[in-house]
Amino acid sequence: MAEDRLPEKRRKRLEEFVAQLRVKPGSHVHLGRDFDPGFKAGVSKKKDGVALLQEGIALMCEYQARLAAQSTWGVLVVLQALDAAGKDGTIRHVMSGVNPQGVTVNGFKVPSAEELGHDYLWRYAQRLPARGQIGIFNRSYYEEVLVVRVHPENLDRQKLPGASKKGAVWKRRYREINDWERYLTDNGFRIVKLFLNLSREQQRVRFLRRIDLPDHNWKFSTADVREREHWDAYQRAFSDALTHTSTEWAPWYVIPADHKWFERVAVGMVLAQTLLEIDPGYPKVTKQQREALLEVRQALEAQAPEGVAADPFRDGQHDGKAPVETTA
Ligand code: AMP
Ligand code: MG
């Protein structure tokens, strides 16, 4: 398969690009200090970014096809962000061109009564991707240590026994999440966690845009402004979650989100790099399977009508495209 591998130089460039965004496992994150939402990783022009995104998308398409064919690995993409950071647009742009049959997208909102009747990971476990699939979580089980932490009344609704609500609830949840992710990873599911890091000022501007452009009104709710008032609490909750749940097996990536075009480039690169690391291959047929195929070919060739190539794809007689239909 070596010939269709990415050239060493491009592979290295991709690796280095992505490494800058990764939260080093074990590091202590303070979002405001450590990560700049306006970072562009040296890509100064949007034009260059668009070209990079196209490259990333092309890689993803190719590797996603192999992932599906091999059906051994699955990929879970966790997308977390504050309002207006661009989760929906990112999914739309970055996944454009990828075979829709290989991708599932699930959004998570306020849990239903049925969901609250189960343990907190239950509803997410039901939506995990299958082997061969890329599953995107638009919000995820991380809300259980984010919105639930910022608004503790959510925890009260979870019908937990007394002991589970006492003490170091969040530390315990980080451990539980890390364990769960490790279990999934050990069983063939790669987890890619993306935090779209938007500045407070850009959020203000994007909210105004949603109000001022009538076509965007539907995207805005006054609840979003109420959440904005908890900005600092969210920054703390995100910093803490990134600190405790960026692991060797499931690291976090902080995606600078103030420039939408750059955010999409960065997400595309991280996903491409993940698929490259998995390096899925098309399943090889065994000698016996190959022999069986050759027998079937012989039978099909024998059925060719007069004057027609017995097998238009055989021995370089054809360019691989289907024969042109002729109308009588
Ligand atoms: P949106 O994604 O903008 O449509 O909004 C979904 C809403 O559901 C957000 O306000 C989230 O904070 C909320 N939400 C998502 N997951 C949870 C959860 N586990 N507990 C409570 N609220 C949640
Ligand atoms: Mg919203």
Side-chain angles (χ1 to χ4, degrees):
M1 225 202 308
E3 66 279 5
D4 53 21
R5 284 242 172 85
L6 200 64
E8 195 54 33
K9 219 171 121 193
R10 269 181 69 199
R11 185 179 262 273
K12 222 171 155 62
R13 192 182 64 181
L14 183 62
E15 244 172 55
E16 282 166 8
F17 182 99
V18 167
Q20 309 172 73
L21 309 174
R22 191 179 298 126
V23 177
K24 222 167 137 240
S27 62
H28 190 275
V29 178
H30 181 307
L31 266 182
R33 181 194 64 198
D34 302 336
F35 293 95
D36 172 11
F39 182 59
K40 290 193 272 184
V43 190
S44 49
K45 290 198 218 97
K46 182 171 172 179
K47 195 171 90 230
D48 300 336
V50 172
L52 272 177
L53 179 58
Q54 288 317 315
E55 264 183 48
I57 289 176
L59 271 177
M60 265 170 51
C61 286
E62 183 197 328
Y63 277 79
Q64 190 252 342
R66 295 193 203 173
L67 187 85
Q70 191 181 37
S71 212
T72 300
W73 300 90
V75 177
L76 173 64
V77 181
V78 166
L79 263 183
Q80 284 293 156
L82 288 179
D83 285 311
K87 294 197 301 305
D88 301 287
T90 298
I91 296 172
R92 207 169 56 237
H93 279 82
V94 177
M95 301 316 282
S96 67
V98 173
N99 181 354
Q101 290 210 75
V103 182
T104 56
V105 183
N106 283 284
F108 295 96
K109 301 191 184 277
V110 179
S112 67
E114 189 196 12
E115 289 166 345
L116 288 170
H118 291 265
D119 63 279
Y120 73 91
L121 289 176
W122 181 78
R123 67 170 179 160
Y124 309 98
Q126 319 244 317
R127 302 273 180 269
L128 288 171
R131 298 188 195 285
Q133 293 245 307
I134 299 176
I136 301 177
F137 279 3
N138 184 347
R139 299 187 192 271
S140 70
Y141 46 92
Y142 279 96
E143 292 296 346
E144 304 294 337
V145 292
L146 294 166
V147 67
V148 178
R149 184 174 188 177
V150 173
H151 299 287
E153 59 274 22
N154 285 303
L155 194 65
D156 297 335
R157 280 190 212 111
Q158 293 192 348
K159 303 182 184 174
L160 292 161
S164 307
K165 282 191 286 188
K166 286 206 196 82
V169 177
W170 313 114
K171 281 253 161 64
R172 196 160 57 231
R173 286 198 168 190
Y174 297 144
R175 175 177 57 72
E176 288 158 355
I177 287 173
N178 286 340
D179 287 348
W180 193 53
E181 291 181 338
R182 179 154 204 158
Y183 156 79
L184 291 171
T185 308
D186 284 348
N187 284 280
F189 295 91
R190 282 289 299 264
I191 304 170
V192 191
K193 303 184 295 197
L194 308 170
F195 167 59
L196 309 185
N197 188 26
L198 187 71
S199 70
R200 186 170 156 81
E201 172 54 11
Q202 259 305 304
Q203 190 192 52
R204 185 184 73 88
V205 171
R206 290 187 192 178
F207 278 176
L208 283 171
R209 187 162 181 272
R210 288 179 177 188
I211 293 168
D212 293 340
L213 302 181
D215 281 0
H216 289 66
N217 284 176
W218 67 273
K219 273 193 176 180
F220 188 76
S221 91
T222 47
D224 293 347
V225 177
R226 259 179 280 132
E227 282 311 275
R228 180 173 161 81
E229 285 165 21
H230 300 282
W231 183 271
D232 291 338
Y234 272 110
Q235 294 292 303
R236 280 195 299 274
F238 269 112
S239 295
D240 212 25
L242 293 168
T243 299
H244 289 101
T245 61
S246 198
T247 54
E248 296 292 347
W249 55 92
W252 272 104
Y253 294 87
V254 176
I255 307 292
D258 273 7
H259 304 285
K260 274 191 185 170
W261 65 267
F262 182 78
E263 173 195 309
R264 287 162 192 170
V265 172
V267 171
M269 299 289 246
V270 173
L271 296 184
Q273 165 73 6
T274 304
L275 288 168
L276 244 77
E277 274 174 18
I278 298 175
D279 196 20
Y282 288 108
K284 288 224 161 56
V285 291
T286 62
K287 199 160 166 262
Q288 270 169 332
Q289 287 169 321
R290 183 71 195 150
E291 276 162 13
L293 286 175
L294 294 179
E295 255 174 58
V296 175
R297 180 167 78 183
Q298 221 171 22
L300 287 171
E301 283 179 349
Q303 294 168 26
E306 279 282 313
V308 165
D311 180 350
F313 300 101
R314 193 167 174 177
D315 305 327
Q317 293 174 41
H318 195 273
D319 58 7
K321 294 194 189 90
V324 180
E325 296 268 328
T326 46
T327 41

